Amino acid sequence: MQQQNPLGYQSIPSLLKSFAIPSIIAMLVGSLYNIVDQVFIGQGVGYLGNAATNVSYPLTTICLAISLLIGIGSASRFSLYLGSGRQEDAAKVAGNGICMMVVFGVVYAVLVELFLTPLLTAFGATAAVMPYAATYSRIIALGMPFQIITTGMSKLILADGSPKYSMTCTLIGAVINTILDPLFIFTFDMGVAGAAWATIIGQFFSFLAAIAYVRRFKSIRLQRACLRLSPRECVQTASLGMSNSLNQVAITLVQIVMNNSLTYYGAQSAYGTDIPLAACGIVMKTNAILLSIIIGISQGSQPIIGFNYGAGQYDRVKKTYKLAILYNFIVSGIGFILFQGFPRQIISLFGNGDAAYFTFAIHFMRTFLFMVIVNGVQLLSSNFFAAIGKPVKGLLLSMTRQVFFLIPLVLILPLFMGIDGVLYAGPVADGIAFVVSVLLIMREMKKMKPGV
């Protein structure tokens, strides 16, 4: 298998570029669904519309968490089985994963529709923001099964050695969404509802492209008998996708805690409740672009790491991880320069506001994202452990920044610093998570003996 599959013998830089670049583009395109909506809503509706998309954003991150639970879990097992020459087991993993995507997608959409109002209230919607948030969220919930299946399938497609097809699946929907957004919002005057409909129409066409790949797998023969749910397979898949999934769940929890903290302490400040909510949405989604690139690097490295770890070629595993970290620092460094040097220009893309709005938003971006240059190390490292079949370590690491550090800091620091405490919690949590990640990775690398 090492001799037949390029993952086992091609140069690491060449492999990582060929897998990571399409994955990065796919992740960036996925982020653009939310960014494009935010830009056009900000220009067409105003900052209350931006606040509404921020309040509904946890629904999207939960959707992504489900996608990664199944997609990364299936892709990690798929790569490990291919590396050890077990194609039949890889086929069972793929079939079970596809069934999981369908079932989880439908169930999640139904639950969102049933409990939308209490969910948005818990996410921090104010009385002024709720009408916009409810309209937007009720529509995008209809497209969540498409998003889960497309995102999950794209990870399997990547693991099968088709990174360009994986990228194309997501790209199709984003292009359609970008074309329809201004048409629905400005020409048809549909407001936030227009942005939501543009999103799910794009997601539907991405879904069609992803499903078409079921008959095109290169490394396996995916027969009808493989397309069934097995509780044992589901548990094993979930165990390897858990670290990536819980990382998204943790992001959701952070968003909820931050939204409620910002409205509470914002009411005690000169900014009120709605300005901090709108600013938070812009900062988080702008940072999501940077994180999309880092996640793309991480997901591009996953098939290479998983295959070579399964084949016992540990030297190639180490080289792949180190190169991914190098790329991460380059990207994060550029992000740091942009966030610190040009915050007003970035924020202005999302619409206009008064002086108080820009003052707070600029302060938010510069402060909360101050340690962004090391932010991706924790994410890359947690995915590394999932790729080598050690989900517990990946799970532990994925929870460090958001759950163990950031949420407690968001709750504690404002008691002494007011609304500024919410902002300073970000860089403090990033720094601590970076140190923990380095210690765990160094320990794991020492356990790997020279390549076979």
Side-chain angles (χ1 to χ4, degrees), residues 53-348:
T53 59
N54 178 40
V55 167
S56 66
Y57 194 51
L59 296 175
T60 301
T61 55
I62 293 172
C63 186
L64 182 56
I66 296 171
S67 305
L68 296 180
L69 177 76
I70 305 168
I72 294 293
S74 298
S76 297
R77 297 182 65 210
F78 187 90
S79 297
L80 287 168
Y81 282 143
L82 286 183
S84 56
R86 298 164 62 183
Q87 284 91 339
E88 289 186 8
D89 289 329
K92 291 179 182 178
V93 166
N96 183 79
I98 293 169
C99 292
M100 287 179 71
M101 295 168 204
V102 174
V103 173
F104 278 58
V106 172
V107 170
Y108 180 60
V110 171
L111 290 175
V112 170
E113 295 287 356
L114 290 176
F115 301 104
L116 182 60
T117 299
L119 284 171
L120 292 177
T121 301
F123 296 162
T126 63
V129 171
M130 179 62 85
Y132 297 98
T135 298
Y136 182 79
S137 302
R138 198 167 293 283
I139 296 171
I140 64 167
L142 300 174
M144 286 176 178
F146 303 140
Q147 184 178 352
I148 288 173
I149 294 169
T150 301
T151 305
M153 275 296 300
S154 70
K155 311 311 172 195
L156 275 174
I157 294 169
L158 185 66
D160 190 50
S162 300
K164 291 182 180 179
Y165 193 100
S166 175
M167 172 190 70
T168 302
C169 290
T170 311
L171 188 60
I172 290 170
V175 170
I176 293 172
N177 180 48
T178 303
I179 294 171
L180 294 181
D181 252 336
L183 182 66
F184 288 175
I185 294 173
F186 299 111
T187 305
F188 297 155
D189 196 25
M190 295 172 66
V192 293
W197 281 114
T199 296
I200 66 170
I201 291 172
Q203 289 171 343
F204 175 72
F205 283 96
S206 287
F207 157 78
L208 293 179
I211 286 297
Y213 192 85
V214 170
R215 297 179 177 271
R216 302 183 183 182
F217 275 97
K218 299 187 298 185
S219 305
I220 59 171
R221 290 187 61 191
L222 190 62
Q223 299 176 340
R224 184 173 296 181
C226 298
L227 294 170
R228 63 185 182 86
L229 277 178
S230 164
R232 181 172 175 271
E233 293 287 337
C234 289
V235 170
Q236 291 181 2
T237 293
S239 69
L240 289 188
M242 190 66 71
S243 62
N244 286 271
S245 177
L246 286 183
N247 195 51
Q248 292 298 317
V249 173
I251 291 173
T252 304
L253 293 176
V254 168
Q255 191 76 47
I256 295 169
V257 172
M258 286 192 63
N259 284 350
N260 284 282
S261 295
L262 288 169
T263 53
Y264 178 79
Y265 291 103
Q268 302 173 20
S269 72
Y271 304 109
T273 58
D274 296 325
I275 285 177
L277 270 182
C280 181
I282 292 172
V283 170
M284 291 299 187
K285 290 183 180 178
T286 303
N287 187 41
I289 297 177
L290 181 66
L291 290 178
S292 295
I293 300 175
I294 296 170
I295 292 171
I297 295 171
S298 177
Q299 293 179 356
S301 68
Q302 180 270 324
I304 309 168
I305 291 172
F307 182 92
N308 285 285
Y309 192 87
Q313 300 192 127
Y314 301 131
D315 55 334
R316 292 176 62 82
V317 173
K318 293 178 182 180
K319 288 178 182 177
T320 304
Y321 174 80
K322 291 176 181 178
L323 188 58
I325 287 291
L326 175 62
Y327 290 160
N328 161 66
F329 278 125
I330 294 171
V331 171
S332 298
I334 295 172
F336 177 83
I337 293 170
L338 292 174
F339 296 150
Q340 297 302 316
F342 308 96
R344 186 179 183 92
Q345 291 86 340
I346 295 172
I347 293 163
S348 297

Side-chain angles (χ1 to χ4, degrees), residues 1-59:
M1 283 300 297
Q2 291 99 304
Q3 295 174 352
Q4 295 174 358
N5 197 314
L7 292 172
Y9 65 83
Q10 276 191 4
S11 73
I12 298 300
S14 176
L15 280 172
L16 188 55
K17 288 177 184 176
S18 65
F19 276 83
I21 290 175
S23 185
I24 289 169
I25 294 173
M27 290 302 302
L28 279 172
V29 167
S31 291
L32 284 175
Y33 275 116
N34 294 301
I35 296 295
V36 168
D37 283 354
Q38 190 100 33
V39 170
F40 285 118
I41 287 172
Q43 298 290 343
V45 180
Y47 74 85
L48 285 179
N50 276 332
T53 59
N54 178 40
V55 167
S56 66
Y57 194 51
L59 296 175

